[in-house]
Amino acid sequence: MTDTSRGYKAWLPAERWRDGQRIEAWRPLLERIEASMELRPNGPGAAALRELSRGIGTLTGLQPSLTLKAGPPILTLGSPEAARPALNELNALPLSEEAYALRIGLGSEGAEWSGSGYAVLRGGSERGLLHAVFRFLRLIGTEQDGPRELHEVESPRSVLRMIDQWDNMDGSVERGYSGGSIFYRDNRILLESERIADYARLLASVGINAISVNNVNVHREETKLIAAPLLHDVKRLADVFGSFGIRLFLSVNYAAPIELGELGTADPLDEGVRRWWKRTAEEIYAAVPEFGGFVVKADSENRPGPFTYGRDHADGANLLADALAPFGGLVLWRCFVYDCHQDWRDRSTDRARAAYDHFRPLDGRFRDNVILQIKNGPMDFQVREPVSPLFGAMPKTNHVMEFQIAQEYTGQQRDVCFLVPQWKKSLDFDTFLNGPGSTVKRIAAGEVHPLPHSGVAAVSNIGNDDNWTGHHLAQANLFGFGRLAWNPDLDAEEIAAEWSALTFGAGTPAAAFVRELLMESWPVYESYTAPLGVGWMVQPHYHYAVDVDGYEYSKWGTYHFADRNGIGVDRTLGTGTGYAGQYAAENRDLYGSPESCPDELLLFFHHVPYTHVLKSGKTVIQHIYDSRFEGAARVESWIERWRELEGGVDDERFSHILRRLEGQLENARQWRDVVNTYFYRKSGIPDEQGRNIYA
């Protein structure tokens, strides 16, 4: 695996501009850098200076001169004389640690580039300066016509912006669709790998500030990461990420006191267990002073937890929180807890209710350094789900929203599915839990409830494939998560356009088409897979290919209840599982009636006849038929459009993306034919257009 792959550098500067006029337009601004900072060799300030010089050199071939002096974290480019008023103004700005200010002036003429312009980048700290540098590099990578006047002051909306790796020490990645782990092989940490630092660069470039580097399903070897023999290696990992302003966390095994052979119990109220975790925390922080804390999956999908001892989640989380508190450590406690051994015959059991039922009664009982990590939907990262009703429903408890960048149920990085529009829909959702305007993004930003910790987290989609993400276009999801975590008000199309320009070249036909394809991809993927919010319909455990009844008679849950008369799950208060009642009244009433429920979630909340008429004017069954055919046809059209770009995209990426699209078309056709045939056989209602359905 080398950095010669066209996809390895992802959206960071990767190749020289071919347009000489573009280079000349930027030249006066990029030939000279004055740096003011207390330069620490392995600090974010050094990374900022290195990234700026490297980026300029890669894009333009210029090697800017450098003047370094002591002072606050500021970089000045271009004319220092012209920059002086802006420098004085930005110096006086109050900035939080991760915030930055960026000012570009074009010289005395103001409206036109005079060659005596400047750019001033100031950070609230070295970390803020690093954010400013990556913002500046994105700017010069997307602006074709040279500099423009700009005055920008930004700080991240969410305090915690975290990536969770699901890597195992044997080198595998759970739900990994891009090769093996970049962190581990043969039960050792790959400290010699340059890819780890390159990954830290990618994450820092989009504003990520925390990472957990092992799977939440913590197996025996990973349990040892918190033990003394491996802490030196963990420290070296923490240093790599810390040099880019990213704090390192570990997923821990709740039964570690037993697994490591030191105790016979993991009872959170046992004094011996409490002393064990306290001593372990002391050892961790002695070795890794900047350690972030623990991520915990407990009492979920057969993982150990406090339920074994008759205790609850607050008891379990507080045990770890008390051990970490003296060092400023955090506990991220996942709320993905449900009965994974349920009886499919029991229609009253509803997996969607589980997180709220388990955690809502515990509000106010968690320590201040516990953060509940709540999946964006109540199920499991499906292509369409409502927002989890638990998010925002615990005003006395820190919580973050968890997304999945890895496309477990959305094409597994074989099918294109740009997830930013899906995440935007979740972030923009109004919970009404503290009146109108109590949106998820404001709760995640700590603007609705005054809690010490809030933010967003996501499951990573990278591996050791040359292009990081298996599918070149899947990089857009990693990029997009970071950009949204920093600023959830960004528009999905704006993010798609920015990534496409940085990756395929500003103003190119390839970038224009990729932007269009990305924005279509989520609704297209949904259109040939599970309809109207019903979810699943995938092969058990594998989760890619179609299997309409794969989970329907399963201990993991029952999801569509299709019979000869209709389809969908009744989750209403009056006649169903009562799940809809977990929302504030405004959303409870919206979802509670088939007439008011949004079509895209109809089958999540209601069991309706196949002849039920949607707001589109189509019946449910006709919508199923039409959308399956339309989805497959749209993928076919993408292939035709992509073929037209041959010669305009490098051969490696052109061939790779073409092969992936051809595979996606095969998958879409299989979904189309299986789903349509299944529901034709169930309903006996023919397609109004007489298309080929395999009766």
Side-chain angles (χ1 to χ4, degrees):
M1 305 299 176
T2 69
D3 65 1
T4 58
S5 165
R6 290 298 293 266
Y8 185 82
K9 292 186 178 178
W11 53 85
L12 295 178
E15 62 178 2
R16 183 78 48 84
W17 290 338
R18 298 178 182 178
D19 184 348
Q21 288 186 327
R22 187 179 184 187
I23 294 173
E24 290 307 309
W26 281 95
R27 179 186 291 274
L29 203 63
L30 303 181
E31 288 186 310
R32 177 177 180 175
I33 301 172
E34 286 195 0
S36 165
M37 66 181 74
E38 303 292 340
L39 195 63
R40 296 180 294 126
N42 294 315
L49 195 54
R50 186 171 62 248
E51 292 299 327
L52 182 60
S53 298
R54 178 192 292 183
I56 290 171
T58 298
L59 293 173
T60 67
L62 302 173
Q63 296 300 320
S65 65
L66 174 64
T67 303
L68 182 64
K69 62 181 181 179
I74 295 177
L75 295 171
T76 305
L77 296 91
S79 167
E81 294 78 17
R84 193 163 292 114
L87 192 60
N88 293 334
E89 182 183 340
L90 296 188
N91 245 329
L93 276 179
L95 294 176
S96 61
E97 184 180 356
E98 291 197 274
Y100 69 82
L102 171 60
R103 173 74 65 86
I104 298 177
L106 297 184
S108 58
E109 300 300 320
E112 294 184 6
W113 177 240
S114 66
S116 62
Y118 63 86
V120 178
L121 289 69
R122 188 207 153 191
S125 69
E126 290 185 16
R127 294 166 71 194
L129 186 63
L130 183 60
H131 296 316
V133 164
F134 282 123
R135 167 65 177 119
F136 185 71
L137 290 175
R138 288 197 302 272
L139 187 71
I140 65 176
T142 53
E143 293 286 339
Q144 296 174 260
D145 301 324
R148 58 181 173 85
E149 294 270 0
L150 182 70
H151 184 194
E152 186 173 279
V153 179
E154 280 208 9
S155 58
R157 286 282 295 281
S158 294
V159 175
L160 187 69
R161 306 176 304 281
M162 187 169 187
I163 289 289
D164 289 341
Q165 299 295 139
W166 282 3
D167 295 46
N168 302 310
M169 289 191 69
D170 64 3
S172 64
V173 181
E174 183 173 335
R175 306 304 178 193
Y177 310 111
S178 352
S181 174
I182 69 168
F183 295 96
Y184 311 106
R185 187 171 302 128
D186 300 327
N187 297 326
R188 65 182 181 89
I189 300 175
L190 299 176
L191 294 172
E192 70 280 6
S193 173
E194 295 181 2
R195 289 189 71 118
I196 296 174
D198 287 337
Y199 184 44
R201 292 178 65 219
L202 289 179
L203 296 183
S205 75
V206 290
I208 298 301
N209 67 357
I211 184 170
S212 177
V213 292
N214 63 300
N215 190 0
V216 293
N217 292 313
V218 184
H219 307 298
R220 181 163 184 81
E221 292 302 320
E222 294 78 28
T223 300
K224 300 174 185 176
L225 285 169
I226 60 173
L230 286 175
L231 287 179
H232 175 71
D233 291 350
V234 172
K235 166 63 175 170
R236 290 178 62 184
L237 273 185
D239 287 345
V240 171
F241 284 97
S243 69
F244 288 93
I246 299 170
R247 200 175 181 190
L248 184 132
F249 290 68
L250 290 172
S251 294
V252 296
N253 183 344
Y254 193 81
I258 302 171
E259 291 289 328
L260 295 176
E262 297 184 37
L263 296 178
T265 180
D267 183 348
L269 301 189
D270 181 273
E271 283 303 316
V273 173
R274 298 176 67 82
R275 285 193 299 270
W276 189 92
W277 281 107
K278 182 176 183 295
R279 185 177 70 252
T280 297
E282 290 169 351
E283 292 173 353
I284 292 171
Y285 281 92
V288 193
E290 65 278 22
F291 183 66
F294 297 150
V295 177
V296 188
K297 178 179 178 179
D299 290 314
S300 173
E301 297 184 329
N302 305 309
R303 298 304 302 160
F307 284 4
T308 301
Y309 308 97
R311 317 304 186 191
D312 60 29
H313 291 285
D315 295 326
N318 291 341
L319 162 73
L320 303 178
D322 290 342
L324 297 178
F327 310 99
L330 303 175
V331 175
L332 286 106
W333 191 273
R334 296 181 83 237
C335 296
F336 186 52
V337 178
Y338 67 98
D339 179 8
C340 65
H341 295 281
Q342 65 192 60
D343 185 348
W344 62 266
R345 301 166 185 82
D346 180 4
R347 296 290 287 262
S348 66
T349 303
D350 185 2
R351 176 171 168 176
R353 291 186 55 107
Y356 190 100
D357 287 344
H358 278 295
F359 287 92
R360 177 64 182 84
L362 302 177
D363 189 31
R365 287 196 45 218
F366 292 91
R367 301 286 193 265
D368 285 346
N369 60 327
V370 173
I371 306 172
L372 299 185
Q373 189 161 308
I374 304 168
K375 287 192 177 186
N376 62 292
M379 302 299 272
D380 192 11
F381 302 130
Q382 297 301 295
V383 69
R384 177 79 66 171
E385 292 185 53
V387 170
S388 170
L390 184 60
F391 201 80
M394 301 182 69
K396 300 176 184 177
T397 305
N398 302 310
H399 46 285
V400 301
M401 177 160 279
E402 179 184 22
F403 296 103
Q404 191 185 46
I405 308 172
Q407 296 170 231
E408 179 178 355
Y409 294 97
T410 52
Q412 297 190 358
Q413 289 143 244
R414 296 164 64 180
D415 294 14
V416 185
C417 189
F418 183 52
L419 293 170
V420 171
Q422 183 199 65
W423 300 334
K424 277 286 292 180
K425 196 168 184 68
S426 293
L427 291 165
D428 291 342
F429 178 76
D430 195 342
T431 69
F432 292 98
L433 288 168
N434 197 28
S438 301
T439 57
V440 167
K441 64 186 175 187
R442 292 191 62 237
I443 297 168
E447 297 168 2
V448 174
H449 302 126
L451 297 166
H453 303 288
S454 55
V456 288
V459 180
S460 173
N461 68 340
I462 70 102
N464 65 2
D465 278 0
D466 281 353
N467 64 16
W468 295 100
T469 57
H471 196 313
H472 279 283
L473 301 187
Q475 291 180 1
N477 283 327
L478 181 60
F479 177 88
F481 171 75
R483 298 290 286 123
L484 268 189
W486 179 275
N487 181 5
D489 288 332
L490 288 174
D491 182 74
E493 187 159 9
E494 179 183 355
I495 293 172
E498 185 178 52
W499 179 83
S500 299
L502 292 170
T503 307
F504 289 95
T508 63
F513 171 63
V514 167
R515 181 192 69 237
E516 177 186 329
L517 187 157
L518 291 176
M519 290 305 297
E520 290 182 355
S521 61
W522 175 43
V524 166
Y525 185 85
E526 182 180 25
S527 71
Y528 62 76
T529 55
L532 302 173
V534 76
W536 307 91
M537 297 188 177
V538 291
Q539 286 186 357
H541 312 300
Y542 182 49
H543 298 172
Y544 177 74
V546 59
D547 186 345
V548 178
D549 281 338
Y551 279 108
E552 194 60 18
Y553 306 99
S554 163
K555 65 182 182 180
W556 300 96
T558 303
Y559 303 103
H560 64 67
F561 288 129
D563 55 28
R564 65 182 181 180
N565 299 315
I567 178 178
V569 183
D570 184 351
R571 291 190 164 101
T572 63
L573 270 173
T575 58
T577 68
Y579 166 80
Q582 294 181 339
Y583 291 91
E586 293 85 346
N587 290 316
R588 177 198 66 205
D589 295 344
L590 174 72
Y591 295 139
S593 163
E595 285 67 40
S596 58
C597 185
D599 280 350
E600 65 265 23
L601 290 172
L602 178 69
L603 302 184
F604 189 93
F605 285 99
H606 299 278
H607 187 86
V608 298
Y610 294 109
T611 54
H612 174 86
V613 178
L614 301 170
K615 295 174 181 63
S616 66
K618 294 182 180 181
T619 62
V620 166
I621 190 64
Q622 195 59 42
H623 169 85
I624 291 173
Y625 295 153
D626 288 350
S627 54
R628 303 317 97 179
F629 281 109
E630 290 163 3
R634 194 63 191 145
V635 176
E636 193 166 4
S637 74
W638 290 344
I639 293 173
E640 294 171 3
R641 294 276 304 280
W642 184 251
R643 287 185 186 279
E644 294 171 3
L645 293 170
E646 187 169 10
V649 179
D650 58 277
D651 291 343
E652 177 194 321
R653 286 187 295 181
F654 178 81
S655 298
H656 169 92
I657 292 171
L658 178 60
R659 290 195 304 271
R660 291 283 174 158
L661 290 176
E662 289 171 342
Q664 183 167 357
L665 178 58
E666 182 180 347
N667 188 42
R669 286 171 171 168
Q670 180 72 357
W671 271 91
R672 175 197 67 193
D673 292 341
V674 170
V675 172
N676 280 347
T677 297
Y678 180 94
F679 285 107
Y680 174 69
R681 291 177 179 177
K682 281 282 187 184
S683 69
I685 301 173
D687 172 31
E688 291 175 356
Q689 299 189 41
R691 291 164 294 198
N692 190 22
I693 294 177
Y694 297 88

